[in-house]
Amino acid sequence: MAQQHGFQGPPGMKSRTLLLCLLAFLPLQAGLLHAQSPEQKLAEEFENYFRQKITLKGITGAAFVVATPDGIIRVGTVGYTDTHRRQAVDQDTTFRVASVSKTFAAGLTGVLVDEGAFGWNDRVVDYVPDFRIKGDASQVRIQHVLGQSTGLIPHAYDNLIEDGVSMDRIKQKYGTLSYICQPGACYSYQNSIFSLNEPDIEKTTTRSYAQLMEEKIFRPLDMKTASVGYEPFVSNPNHAKPHVKVRGGWATVDVKPNYYSVAPAAGVNASALDMGKWLMAQMGARPDVIAPGVVETLTEPRVKTARDTRRKYWRDMVSDAHYGLGWRIYELGENEIAYHSGWVSGFRADLAWSDQHDIGIAVLMNAESNSISEITTTFWQMAFASLPAADPRQLTASASTASP
């Protein structure tokens, strides 16, 4: 009789052993399935910081979103839509994004240029015949308007926007403006001049700016709560109310409609979830809406913005700064981000993304708090410390295959 080697347990022993091994393996398997990616871990750690900072500063309400080309990693919300504390801020609460609207204006314009509606080097006077300045207005091109490089005195007639003066009346005063440099040669930040983009677009397409933004950007990207203008904002029951600093905290105030008159400069409203989808589009997730070549054109550094290297919180990080077309381009040591901030009465907003790290963030507040710069820079410090940067050769290769 052949001998059996090794230990042979009683009947059923083998099956019980297999069952015990399986049960021991399950927790390990579950851990592998639910292991966090570096981006998820970053977003979780940032949310902990974000909640602490917003609470410490006593800000009424705030939201953030972290996104990659593959999707939205995390949306975080803190606080309430107003000081009555009846309605909590959620991922669909809309905020005014203020000058972050300029990234949308540039994106829409880039899409239309890509479609052949007009060209970046077209003269503004060909679309706005009554555009007159103290000098040769024909030198100003569409790219100069979107690139904050018209050469006209910065912030021209922002005071009249603040006072609620209509754009038609403001345009009549452009005849007093002189060049401080040749168009394209220096940085001169504008709001009313920037919004000449609206009649440029409307004359070419025979549709309103708001309609085109909905048709070309919001709807294709499924930005369900995004809008342009005062009425869509205040009529949305889930919108954040503006807050200004008073002794002892923040006070809820009425929404000021003035900067809605310059819609390309400051007229967009959006939720954190919406902004996550906008970030994804910048990072190449939706080439059917915004081609990579369009984004590359918008984020090409054009005019130097030296003052940005001295901004509080940013000055310890920014080694060089430029404006592209609707975007600021910051060099942060070996890293680069595309960025824009926004500020209107009672609201602050930040938006930034990194092509090298394939990640972006938007921060929205219904309070005029400078802590937004501290929050955004902290995110990038955390991101650069925890995420590997793409090989520059890969970025060059991908850029070379992008549409022109």
Side-chain angles (χ1 to χ4, degrees):
M1 179 181 290
Q3 292 183 329
Q4 294 181 337
H5 298 279
F7 173 77
Q8 184 178 20
M13 181 71 171
K14 185 179 294 184
S15 60
R16 287 197 299 273
T17 301
L18 288 173
L19 178 61
L20 289 171
C21 290
L22 178 61
L23 291 173
F25 178 71
L26 283 175
L28 175 62
Q29 185 183 42
L32 291 173
L33 289 172
H34 294 90
Q36 286 185 315
S37 68
E39 293 82 4
Q40 290 169 328
K41 184 177 180 182
L42 164 66
E44 181 179 304
E45 292 175 352
F46 174 76
E47 181 170 17
N48 293 334
Y49 162 80
F50 181 81
R51 290 184 175 280
Q52 292 173 5
K53 180 61 66 174
I54 296 298
T55 302
L56 179 65
K57 295 293 183 179
I59 294 168
T60 311
F64 79 87
V65 60
V66 174
T68 72
D70 297 324
I72 292 173
I73 299 296
R74 185 176 290 257
V75 177
T77 62
V78 183
Y80 299 86
T81 59
D82 61 28
T83 50
H84 294 300
R85 301 171 66 88
R86 296 191 187 110
Q87 185 172 351
V89 171
D90 62 32
Q91 67 176 13
D92 296 314
T93 300
T94 55
F95 292 74
R96 295 186 69 177
V97 304
S99 282
V100 173
S101 302
K102 293 178 174 71
T103 70
F104 288 92
L108 175 59
T109 305
V111 168
L112 293 172
V113 169
D114 202 41
E115 293 176 351
F118 47 79
W120 288 114
N121 207 41
D122 287 0
R123 304 185 313 171
V124 171
V125 293
D126 291 336
Y127 302 94
V128 190
D130 60 348
F131 176 54
R132 297 286 186 271
I133 59 172
K134 191 181 288 186
D136 182 5
S138 68
Q139 295 184 55
V140 180
R141 309 303 171 110
I142 290 176
Q143 63 172 305
H144 300 141
V145 171
L146 274 294
Q148 303 288 19
S149 60
T150 58
L152 300 171
I153 186 170
H155 296 278
Y157 298 117
D158 278 4
N159 60 318
L160 298 185
I161 300 173
E162 295 277 359
D163 291 341
V165 176
S166 70
M167 268 296 291
D168 287 339
R169 288 182 58 193
I170 291 174
K171 280 193 289 185
Q172 294 172 11
K173 295 188 175 290
Y174 289 164
T176 65
L177 298 176
S178 301
Y179 287 122
I180 59 173
C181 70
Q182 285 297 109
C186 68
Y187 171 69
S188 57
Y189 191 84
Q190 306 288 347
N191 285 300
S192 69
I193 297 288
F194 186 94
S195 293
L196 291 173
N197 175 240
E198 184 171 359
D200 290 346
I201 286 175
E202 292 182 342
K203 182 172 182 179
T204 306
T205 63
T206 68
R207 280 167 287 178
S208 75
Y209 181 81
Q211 287 174 330
L212 281 166
M213 190 66 74
E214 177 67 27
E215 176 187 330
K216 300 287 187 181
I217 302 295
F218 295 159
R219 194 182 309 147
L221 293 180
D222 196 33
M223 297 174 65
K224 293 179 179 177
T225 60
S227 62
V228 176
Y230 173 80
E231 288 299 334
F233 182 65
V234 297
S235 63
N236 181 349
N238 188 12
H239 75 271
K241 313 299 190 299
H243 294 82
V244 296
K245 193 73 173 177
V246 295
R247 183 176 297 178
W250 299 95
T252 305
V253 295
D254 292 334
V255 177
K256 287 188 176 181
N258 45 18
Y259 271 93
Y260 281 118
S261 67
V262 286
V268 170
N269 317 300
S271 66
L273 189 60
D274 291 329
M275 297 303 287
K277 296 171 182 178
W278 182 233
L279 279 167
M280 288 175 60
Q282 310 314 305
M283 293 184 284
R286 294 297 306 273
D288 56 318
V289 180
I290 304 179
V294 171
V295 176
E296 185 181 352
T297 297
L298 302 182
T299 55
E300 177 188 347
R302 292 171 185 265
V303 288
K304 198 174 185 68
T305 58
R307 289 185 62 183
D308 284 2
T309 62
R310 300 189 291 273
R311 290 180 60 195
K312 188 177 181 181
Y313 299 113
W314 287 100
R315 60 190 172 215
D316 294 331
M317 298 180 68
V318 178
S319 52
D320 203 2
H322 292 78
Y323 207 90
L325 296 173
W327 287 94
R328 298 185 185 279
I329 314 303
Y330 282 179
E331 295 290 337
L332 309 176
E334 297 179 352
N335 303 293
E336 181 181 279
I337 63 170
Y339 166 78
H340 218 293
S341 59
W343 185 346
V344 291
S345 179
F347 293 94
R348 293 293 300 268
D350 264 1
L351 177 72
W353 57 279
S354 166
D355 193 34
Q356 293 166 281
H357 294 80
D358 276 340
I359 199 163
I361 185 170
V363 179
L364 306 172
M365 292 181 179
N366 63 347
E368 296 183 34
S369 173
N370 290 330
S371 63
I372 194 167
S373 294
E374 182 181 3
I375 289 169
T376 303
T377 53
T378 296
F379 173 82
W380 288 112
Q381 289 166 354
M382 295 169 70
F384 296 151
S386 61
L387 301 180
D391 187 328
R393 291 170 296 182
Q394 293 178 339
L395 295 177
T396 302
S398 64
S400 66
T401 58
S403 58

